[in-house]
Amino acid sequence: MKILKHKTLGTLLLLFSMTLGAQNIQKPNIIVIYTDDQGYGDVGALNPDAKFNTPNMDKLANEGIIFTDGHSSDAVCTPSRYSLLTGRYSWRTSLKEGVLRADGPCLIEKDRMTIASLLQENGYKTAMIGKWHLQMEFEGSLGKDRDWSKPFTDGPIEKGFDYYFGIPASMNYGILTYLENDKVLVSSCIMD
């Protein structure tokens, strides 16, 4: 009976210490660098003959994990961004070809899980810096009563990112401005 009590106590202590140890394990940082028009050989850490100096990307690559067998779901930015963020093919949406402009309903449907919202639900802080190009809605009508002081909706913050800084779309697709979270930082220039 004494041996059974000691084994039970020992097992409980072991499980308790494993639980305490598990609580101290830090989640890994996750950084996704998703660029347009960049090839595998453009980063020095992946190609010693690279034509560009990429010391910061090289440091990230050398100190982290490199995934070298990635595939894009499309050759252009809007559908490939949609797929990266949602895990779905973009042709399952209303977009069957090409790319979107800056202004309009976001291609990511309301309440659709994204990689950012999944990470948020698991205790991560999420951020996106760069081009959104999945559309967002600005207050007022294009070229008429647009109010740049009002927050925009249907953008990165509503799709799971805690922080966003970037541009709404490519520089040749409509609204030219910088955005932070859900705010327009500078009154926009409109390209038609």
PDB file of all heavy atoms in Angstrom, residues 142-171:
ATOM      1  N   LEU A 142     -16.741  57.525 -54.086  1.00  0.00           N
ATOM      2  CA  LEU A 142     -15.509  57.837 -54.796  1.00  0.00           C
ATOM      3  C   LEU A 142     -15.693  59.072 -55.670  1.00  0.00           C
ATOM      4  O   LEU A 142     -16.619  59.140 -56.474  1.00  0.00           O
ATOM      5  CB  LEU A 142     -15.096  56.634 -55.654  1.00  0.00           C
ATOM      6  CG  LEU A 142     -13.760  56.713 -56.363  1.00  0.00           C
ATOM      7  CD1 LEU A 142     -12.625  56.841 -55.352  1.00  0.00           C
ATOM      8  CD2 LEU A 142     -13.547  55.470 -57.205  1.00  0.00           C
ATOM      9  N   GLY A 143     -14.831  60.072 -55.461  1.00  0.00           N
ATOM     10  CA  GLY A 143     -14.874  61.281 -56.272  1.00  0.00           C
ATOM     11  C   GLY A 143     -15.978  62.253 -55.909  1.00  0.00           C
ATOM     12  O   GLY A 143     -16.134  63.276 -56.566  1.00  0.00           O
ATOM     13  N   LYS A 144     -16.793  61.980 -54.889  1.00  0.00           N
ATOM     14  CA  LYS A 144     -17.913  62.869 -54.545  1.00  0.00           C
ATOM     15  C   LYS A 144     -17.793  63.349 -53.112  1.00  0.00           C
ATOM     16  O   LYS A 144     -17.215  64.393 -52.845  1.00  0.00           O
ATOM     17  CB  LYS A 144     -19.239  62.156 -54.774  1.00  0.00           C
ATOM     18  CG  LYS A 144     -19.497  61.811 -56.225  1.00  0.00           C
ATOM     19  CD  LYS A 144     -20.814  61.127 -56.397  1.00  0.00           C
ATOM     20  CE  LYS A 144     -20.967  60.710 -57.864  1.00  0.00           C
ATOM     21  NZ  LYS A 144     -22.081  59.857 -58.077  1.00  0.00           N
ATOM     22  N   ASP A 145     -18.346  62.622 -52.178  1.00  0.00           N
ATOM     23  CA  ASP A 145     -18.414  63.052 -50.785  1.00  0.00           C
ATOM     24  C   ASP A 145     -17.533  62.201 -49.872  1.00  0.00           C
ATOM     25  O   ASP A 145     -17.890  61.904 -48.755  1.00  0.00           O
ATOM     26  CB  ASP A 145     -19.860  63.039 -50.296  1.00  0.00           C
ATOM     27  CG  ASP A 145     -20.485  61.648 -50.390  1.00  0.00           C
ATOM     28  OD1 ASP A 145     -19.903  60.768 -51.051  1.00  0.00           O
ATOM     29  OD2 ASP A 145     -21.561  61.446 -49.804  1.00  0.00           O
ATOM     30  N   ARG A 146     -16.377  61.822 -50.349  1.00  0.00           N
ATOM     31  CA  ARG A 146     -15.470  60.976 -49.581  1.00  0.00           C
ATOM     32  C   ARG A 146     -14.974  61.729 -48.352  1.00  0.00           C
ATOM     33  O   ARG A 146     -14.521  62.858 -48.455  1.00  0.00           O
ATOM     34  CB  ARG A 146     -14.314  60.575 -50.482  1.00  0.00           C
ATOM     35  CG  ARG A 146     -13.313  59.569 -50.035  1.00  0.00           C
ATOM     36  CD  ARG A 146     -13.781  58.215 -49.600  1.00  0.00           C
ATOM     37  NE  ARG A 146     -14.672  57.425 -50.354  1.00  0.00           N
ATOM     38  CZ  ARG A 146     -14.359  56.505 -51.258  1.00  0.00           C
ATOM     39  NH1 ARG A 146     -13.140  56.286 -51.600  1.00  0.00           N
ATOM     40  NH2 ARG A 146     -15.277  55.790 -51.835  1.00  0.00           N
ATOM     41  N   ASP A 147     -15.066  61.106 -47.163  1.00  0.00           N
ATOM     42  CA  ASP A 147     -14.603  61.730 -45.924  1.00  0.00           C
ATOM     43  C   ASP A 147     -13.412  60.932 -45.398  1.00  0.00           C
ATOM     44  O   ASP A 147     -13.566  59.901 -44.750  1.00  0.00           O
ATOM     45  CB  ASP A 147     -15.740  61.752 -44.887  1.00  0.00           C
ATOM     46  CG  ASP A 147     -15.372  62.521 -43.633  1.00  0.00           C
ATOM     47  OD1 ASP A 147     -14.159  62.835 -43.442  1.00  0.00           O
ATOM     48  OD2 ASP A 147     -16.272  62.795 -42.826  1.00  0.00           O
ATOM     49  N   TRP A 148     -12.211  61.417 -45.676  1.00  0.00           N
ATOM     50  CA  TRP A 148     -10.988  60.716 -45.321  1.00  0.00           C
ATOM     51  C   TRP A 148     -10.722  60.727 -43.813  1.00  0.00           C
ATOM     52  O   TRP A 148      -9.857  60.005 -43.337  1.00  0.00           O
ATOM     53  CB  TRP A 148      -9.790  61.307 -46.068  1.00  0.00           C
ATOM     54  CG  TRP A 148      -9.933  61.191 -47.545  1.00  0.00           C
ATOM     55  CD1 TRP A 148     -10.103  62.211 -48.428  1.00  0.00           C
ATOM     56  CD2 TRP A 148      -9.950  59.989 -48.322  1.00  0.00           C
ATOM     57  NE1 TRP A 148     -10.210  61.717 -49.711  1.00  0.00           N
ATOM     58  CE2 TRP A 148     -10.122  60.359 -49.673  1.00  0.00           C
ATOM     59  CE3 TRP A 148      -9.831  58.634 -48.012  1.00  0.00           C
ATOM     60  CZ2 TRP A 148     -10.176  59.435 -50.708  1.00  0.00           C
ATOM     61  CZ3 TRP A 148      -9.889  57.705 -49.040  1.00  0.00           C
ATOM     62  CH2 TRP A 148     -10.053  58.106 -50.364  1.00  0.00           C
ATOM     63  N   SER A 149     -11.456  61.558 -43.060  1.00  0.00           N
ATOM     64  CA  SER A 149     -11.248  61.601 -41.603  1.00  0.00           C
ATOM     65  C   SER A 149     -11.952  60.447 -40.882  1.00  0.00           C
ATOM     66  O   SER A 149     -11.655  60.158 -39.729  1.00  0.00           O
ATOM     67  CB  SER A 149     -11.740  62.930 -41.029  1.00  0.00           C
ATOM     68  OG  SER A 149     -13.155  63.019 -41.137  1.00  0.00           O
ATOM     69  N   LYS A 150     -12.860  59.789 -41.562  1.00  0.00           N
ATOM     70  CA  LYS A 150     -13.609  58.665 -40.963  1.00  0.00           C
ATOM     71  C   LYS A 150     -12.823  57.362 -41.127  1.00  0.00           C
ATOM     72  O   LYS A 150     -12.135  57.160 -42.124  1.00  0.00           O
ATOM     73  CB  LYS A 150     -14.967  58.509 -41.650  1.00  0.00           C
ATOM     74  CG  LYS A 150     -15.863  59.722 -41.529  1.00  0.00           C
ATOM     75  CD  LYS A 150     -16.688  59.622 -40.279  1.00  0.00           C
ATOM     76  CE  LYS A 150     -17.452  60.888 -40.015  1.00  0.00           C
ATOM     77  NZ  LYS A 150     -18.772  60.924 -40.511  1.00  0.00           N
ATOM     78  N   PRO A 151     -12.949  56.452 -40.155  1.00  0.00           N
ATOM     79  CA  PRO A 151     -12.273  55.149 -40.294  1.00  0.00           C
ATOM     80  C   PRO A 151     -12.812  54.373 -41.492  1.00  0.00           C
ATOM     81  O   PRO A 151     -13.993  54.470 -41.816  1.00  0.00           O
ATOM     82  CB  PRO A 151     -12.630  54.423 -38.996  1.00  0.00           C
ATOM     83  CG  PRO A 151     -13.132  55.458 -38.058  1.00  0.00           C
ATOM     84  CD  PRO A 151     -13.675  56.575 -38.904  1.00  0.00           C
ATOM     85  N   PHE A 152     -11.939  53.618 -42.137  1.00  0.00           N
ATOM     86  CA  PHE A 152     -12.409  52.722 -43.190  1.00  0.00           C
ATOM     87  C   PHE A 152     -12.810  51.410 -42.535  1.00  0.00           C
ATOM     88  O   PHE A 152     -12.438  51.113 -41.400  1.00  0.00           O
ATOM     89  CB  PHE A 152     -11.353  52.527 -44.289  1.00  0.00           C
ATOM     90  CG  PHE A 152     -10.058  51.947 -43.830  1.00  0.00           C
ATOM     91  CD1 PHE A 152      -9.881  50.573 -43.730  1.00  0.00           C
ATOM     92  CD2 PHE A 152      -8.984  52.772 -43.499  1.00  0.00           C
ATOM     93  CE1 PHE A 152      -8.677  50.030 -43.311  1.00  0.00           C
ATOM     94  CE2 PHE A 152      -7.778  52.240 -43.080  1.00  0.00           C
ATOM     95  CZ  PHE A 152      -7.630  50.874 -42.983  1.00  0.00           C
ATOM     96  N   THR A 153     -13.592  50.622 -43.234  1.00  0.00           N
ATOM     97  CA  THR A 153     -14.073  49.348 -42.690  1.00  0.00           C
ATOM     98  C   THR A 153     -13.698  48.209 -43.633  1.00  0.00           C
ATOM     99  O   THR A 153     -13.288  48.436 -44.768  1.00  0.00           O
ATOM    100  CB  THR A 153     -15.604  49.369 -42.488  1.00  0.00           C
ATOM    101  OG1 THR A 153     -16.227  49.632 -43.751  1.00  0.00           O
ATOM    102  CG2 THR A 153     -16.011  50.432 -41.482  1.00  0.00           C
ATOM    103  N   ASP A 154     -13.890  47.002 -43.147  1.00  0.00           N
ATOM    104  CA  ASP A 154     -13.682  45.792 -43.944  1.00  0.00           C
ATOM    105  C   ASP A 154     -12.220  45.622 -44.358  1.00  0.00           C
ATOM    106  O   ASP A 154     -11.921  45.099 -45.418  1.00  0.00           O
ATOM    107  CB  ASP A 154     -14.594  45.822 -45.175  1.00  0.00           C
ATOM    108  CG  ASP A 154     -15.177  44.457 -45.497  1.00  0.00           C
ATOM    109  OD1 ASP A 154     -15.049  43.534 -44.671  1.00  0.00           O
ATOM    110  OD2 ASP A 154     -15.760  44.313 -46.584  1.00  0.00           O
ATOM    111  N   GLY A 155     -11.306  46.074 -43.483  1.00  0.00           N
ATOM    112  CA  GLY A 155      -9.880  45.969 -43.768  1.00  0.00           C
ATOM    113  C   GLY A 155      -9.175  44.991 -42.848  1.00  0.00           C
ATOM    114  O   GLY A 155      -9.804  44.153 -42.194  1.00  0.00           O
ATOM    115  N   PRO A 156      -7.859  45.102 -42.752  1.00  0.00           N
ATOM    116  CA  PRO A 156      -7.055  44.140 -41.988  1.00  0.00           C
ATOM    117  C   PRO A 156      -7.441  44.011 -40.506  1.00  0.00           C
ATOM    118  O   PRO A 156      -7.414  42.903 -39.965  1.00  0.00           O
ATOM    119  CB  PRO A 156      -5.630  44.680 -42.120  1.00  0.00           C
ATOM    120  CG  PRO A 156      -5.646  45.495 -43.361  1.00  0.00           C
ATOM    121  CD  PRO A 156      -7.018  46.069 -43.465  1.00  0.00           C
ATOM    122  N   ILE A 157      -7.806  45.106 -39.853  1.00  0.00           N
ATOM    123  CA  ILE A 157      -8.149  45.053 -38.428  1.00  0.00           C
ATOM    124  C   ILE A 157      -9.375  44.164 -38.216  1.00  0.00           C
ATOM    125  O   ILE A 157      -9.435  43.392 -37.257  1.00  0.00           O
ATOM    126  CB  ILE A 157      -8.387  46.475 -37.870  1.00  0.00           C
ATOM    127  CG1 ILE A 157      -7.094  47.300 -37.959  1.00  0.00           C
ATOM    128  CG2 ILE A 157      -8.924  46.446 -36.448  1.00  0.00           C
ATOM    129  CD1 ILE A 157      -5.919  46.756 -37.189  1.00  0.00           C
ATOM    130  N   GLU A 158     -10.340  44.235 -39.107  1.00  0.00           N
ATOM    131  CA  GLU A 158     -11.548  43.410 -38.988  1.00  0.00           C
ATOM    132  C   GLU A 158     -11.336  41.967 -39.453  1.00  0.00           C
ATOM    133  O   GLU A 158     -12.212  41.138 -39.289  1.00  0.00           O
ATOM    134  CB  GLU A 158     -12.691  44.055 -39.768  1.00  0.00           C
ATOM    135  CG  GLU A 158     -13.117  45.372 -39.156  1.00  0.00           C
ATOM    136  CD  GLU A 158     -14.066  46.166 -40.031  1.00  0.00           C
ATOM    137  OE1 GLU A 158     -14.112  45.928 -41.250  1.00  0.00           O
ATOM    138  OE2 GLU A 158     -14.745  47.026 -39.476  1.00  0.00           O
ATOM    139  N   LYS A 159     -10.173  41.698 -40.013  1.00  0.00           N
ATOM    140  CA  LYS A 159      -9.875  40.344 -40.495  1.00  0.00           C
ATOM    141  C   LYS A 159      -8.837  39.646 -39.622  1.00  0.00           C
ATOM    142  O   LYS A 159      -8.256  38.645 -40.025  1.00  0.00           O
ATOM    143  CB  LYS A 159      -9.403  40.380 -41.951  1.00  0.00           C
ATOM    144  CG  LYS A 159     -10.359  41.068 -42.900  1.00  0.00           C
ATOM    145  CD  LYS A 159     -11.751  40.466 -42.893  1.00  0.00           C
ATOM    146  CE  LYS A 159     -12.669  41.220 -43.852  1.00  0.00           C
ATOM    147  NZ  LYS A 159     -14.055  40.837 -43.710  1.00  0.00           N
ATOM    148  N   GLY A 160      -8.592  40.177 -38.409  1.00  0.00           N
ATOM    149  CA  GLY A 160      -7.756  39.461 -37.457  1.00  0.00           C
ATOM    150  C   GLY A 160      -6.421  40.082 -37.116  1.00  0.00           C
ATOM    151  O   GLY A 160      -5.671  39.509 -36.329  1.00  0.00           O
ATOM    152  N   PHE A 161      -6.107  41.221 -37.682  1.00  0.00           N
ATOM    153  CA  PHE A 161      -4.826  41.853 -37.363  1.00  0.00           C
ATOM    154  C   PHE A 161      -5.016  42.876 -36.250  1.00  0.00           C
ATOM    155  O   PHE A 161      -5.923  43.702 -36.300  1.00  0.00           O
ATOM    156  CB  PHE A 161      -4.224  42.516 -38.606  1.00  0.00           C
ATOM    157  CG  PHE A 161      -3.736  41.521 -39.611  1.00  0.00           C
ATOM    158  CD1 PHE A 161      -4.509  41.199 -40.717  1.00  0.00           C
ATOM    159  CD2 PHE A 161      -2.514  40.887 -39.451  1.00  0.00           C
ATOM    160  CE1 PHE A 161      -4.072  40.257 -41.645  1.00  0.00           C
ATOM    161  CE2 PHE A 161      -2.060  39.947 -40.369  1.00  0.00           C
ATOM    162  CZ  PHE A 161      -2.846  39.636 -41.469  1.00  0.00           C
ATOM    163  N   ASP A 162      -4.129  42.820 -35.247  1.00  0.00           N
ATOM    164  CA  ASP A 162      -4.159  43.802 -34.160  1.00  0.00           C
ATOM    165  C   ASP A 162      -3.619  45.148 -34.623  1.00  0.00           C
ATOM    166  O   ASP A 162      -3.997  46.191 -34.101  1.00  0.00           O
ATOM    167  CB  ASP A 162      -3.305  43.321 -32.976  1.00  0.00           C
ATOM    168  CG  ASP A 162      -3.888  42.088 -32.323  1.00  0.00           C
ATOM    169  OD1 ASP A 162      -5.067  42.130 -31.929  1.00  0.00           O
ATOM    170  OD2 ASP A 162      -3.165  41.083 -32.202  1.00  0.00           O
ATOM    171  N   TYR A 163      -2.702  45.115 -35.580  1.00  0.00           N
ATOM    172  CA  TYR A 163      -2.078  46.340 -36.071  1.00  0.00           C
ATOM    173  C   TYR A 163      -1.903  46.230 -37.573  1.00  0.00           C
ATOM    174  O   TYR A 163      -1.589  45.167 -38.097  1.00  0.00           O
ATOM    175  CB  TYR A 163      -0.707  46.555 -35.410  1.00  0.00           C
ATOM    176  CG  TYR A 163       0.000  47.786 -35.925  1.00  0.00           C
ATOM    177  CD1 TYR A 163      -0.354  49.051 -35.458  1.00  0.00           C
ATOM    178  CD2 TYR A 163       0.994  47.689 -36.884  1.00  0.00           C
ATOM    179  CE1 TYR A 163       0.273  50.184 -35.942  1.00  0.00           C
ATOM    180  CE2 TYR A 163       1.634  48.812 -37.381  1.00  0.00           C
ATOM    181  CZ  TYR A 163       1.278  50.066 -36.904  1.00  0.00           C
ATOM    182  OH  TYR A 163       1.889  51.188 -37.401  1.00  0.00           O
ATOM    183  N   TYR A 164      -2.096  47.370 -38.256  1.00  0.00           N
ATOM    184  CA  TYR A 164      -1.873  47.432 -39.696  1.00  0.00           C
ATOM    185  C   TYR A 164      -1.255  48.765 -40.063  1.00  0.00           C
ATOM    186  O   TYR A 164      -1.680  49.817 -39.582  1.00  0.00           O
ATOM    187  CB  TYR A 164      -3.187  47.249 -40.464  1.00  0.00           C
ATOM    188  CG  TYR A 164      -3.050  47.490 -41.951  1.00  0.00           C
ATOM    189  CD1 TYR A 164      -2.300  46.629 -42.740  1.00  0.00           C
ATOM    190  CD2 TYR A 164      -3.636  48.584 -42.567  1.00  0.00           C
ATOM    191  CE1 TYR A 164      -2.143  46.845 -44.105  1.00  0.00           C
ATOM    192  CE2 TYR A 164      -3.490  48.800 -43.933  1.00  0.00           C
ATOM    193  CZ  TYR A 164      -2.740  47.926 -44.687  1.00  0.00           C
ATOM    194  OH  TYR A 164      -2.580  48.149 -46.028  1.00  0.00           O
ATOM    195  N   PHE A 165      -0.247  48.736 -40.922  1.00  0.00           N
ATOM    196  CA  PHE A 165       0.300  49.939 -41.541  1.00  0.00           C
ATOM    197  C   PHE A 165       0.601  49.579 -42.979  1.00  0.00           C
ATOM    198  O   PHE A 165       1.295  48.589 -43.244  1.00  0.00           O
ATOM    199  CB  PHE A 165       1.585  50.407 -40.849  1.00  0.00           C
ATOM    200  CG  PHE A 165       2.151  51.643 -41.493  1.00  0.00           C
ATOM    201  CD1 PHE A 165       1.652  52.889 -41.161  1.00  0.00           C
ATOM    202  CD2 PHE A 165       3.143  51.553 -42.452  1.00  0.00           C
ATOM    203  CE1 PHE A 165       2.145  54.035 -41.775  1.00  0.00           C
ATOM    204  CE2 PHE A 165       3.645  52.683 -43.081  1.00  0.00           C
ATOM    205  CZ  PHE A 165       3.141  53.934 -42.732  1.00  0.00           C
ATOM    206  N   GLY A 166       0.066  50.357 -43.909  1.00  0.00           N
ATOM    207  CA  GLY A 166       0.343  50.035 -45.300  1.00  0.00           C
ATOM    208  C   GLY A 166      -0.448  50.872 -46.269  1.00  0.00           C
ATOM    209  O   GLY A 166      -0.883  51.984 -45.962  1.00  0.00           O
ATOM    210  N   ILE A 167      -0.627  50.301 -47.446  1.00  0.00           N
ATOM    211  CA  ILE A 167      -1.372  50.952 -48.517  1.00  0.00           C
ATOM    212  C   ILE A 167      -2.545  50.045 -48.905  1.00  0.00           C
ATOM    213  O   ILE A 167      -2.479  48.834 -48.730  1.00  0.00           O
ATOM    214  CB  ILE A 167      -0.466  51.254 -49.744  1.00  0.00           C
ATOM    215  CG1 ILE A 167       0.187  49.974 -50.279  1.00  0.00           C
ATOM    216  CG2 ILE A 167       0.595  52.287 -49.372  1.00  0.00           C
ATOM    217  CD1 ILE A 167       1.030  50.166 -51.537  1.00  0.00           C
ATOM    218  N   PRO A 168      -3.629  50.655 -49.429  1.00  0.00           N
ATOM    219  CA  PRO A 168      -4.807  49.843 -49.721  1.00  0.00           C
ATOM    220  C   PRO A 168      -4.636  48.870 -50.891  1.00  0.00           C
ATOM    221  O   PRO A 168      -5.238  47.802 -50.898  1.00  0.00           O
ATOM    222  CB  PRO A 168      -5.901  50.859 -50.010  1.00  0.00           C
ATOM    223  CG  PRO A 168      -5.246  52.169 -50.162  1.00  0.00           C
ATOM    224  CD  PRO A 168      -3.876  52.080 -49.592  1.00  0.00           C
ATOM    225  N   ALA A 169      -3.845  49.250 -51.885  1.00  0.00           N
ATOM    226  CA  ALA A 169      -3.660  48.406 -53.071  1.00  0.00           C
ATOM    227  C   ALA A 169      -2.379  48.841 -53.759  1.00  0.00           C
ATOM    228  O   ALA A 169      -1.680  49.734 -53.283  1.00  0.00           O
ATOM    229  CB  ALA A 169      -4.857  48.527 -54.006  1.00  0.00           C
ATOM    230  N   SER A 170      -2.091  48.255 -54.904  1.00  0.00           N
ATOM    231  CA  SER A 170      -0.939  48.686 -55.691  1.00  0.00           C
ATOM    232  C   SER A 170      -1.092  50.165 -56.025  1.00  0.00           C
ATOM    233  O   SER A 170      -2.210  50.687 -56.094  1.00  0.00           O
ATOM    234  CB  SER A 170      -0.852  47.878 -56.991  1.00  0.00           C
ATOM    235  OG  SER A 170      -0.646  46.523 -56.713  1.00  0.00           O
ATOM    236  N   MET A 171       0.019  50.820 -56.250  1.00  0.00           N
ATOM    237  CA  MET A 171      -0.006  52.262 -56.463  1.00  0.00           C
ATOM    238  C   MET A 171      -0.749  52.666 -57.743  1.00  0.00           C
ATOM    239  O   MET A 171      -1.057  53.827 -57.933  1.00  0.00           O
ATOM    240  CB  MET A 171       1.422  52.811 -56.483  1.00  0.00           C
ATOM    241  CG  MET A 171       2.149  52.582 -55.161  1.00  0.00           C
ATOM    242  SD  MET A 171       1.268  53.183 -53.706  1.00  0.00           S
ATOM    243  CE  MET A 171       1.529  54.923 -53.849  1.00  0.00           C
TER     244      MET A 171
END
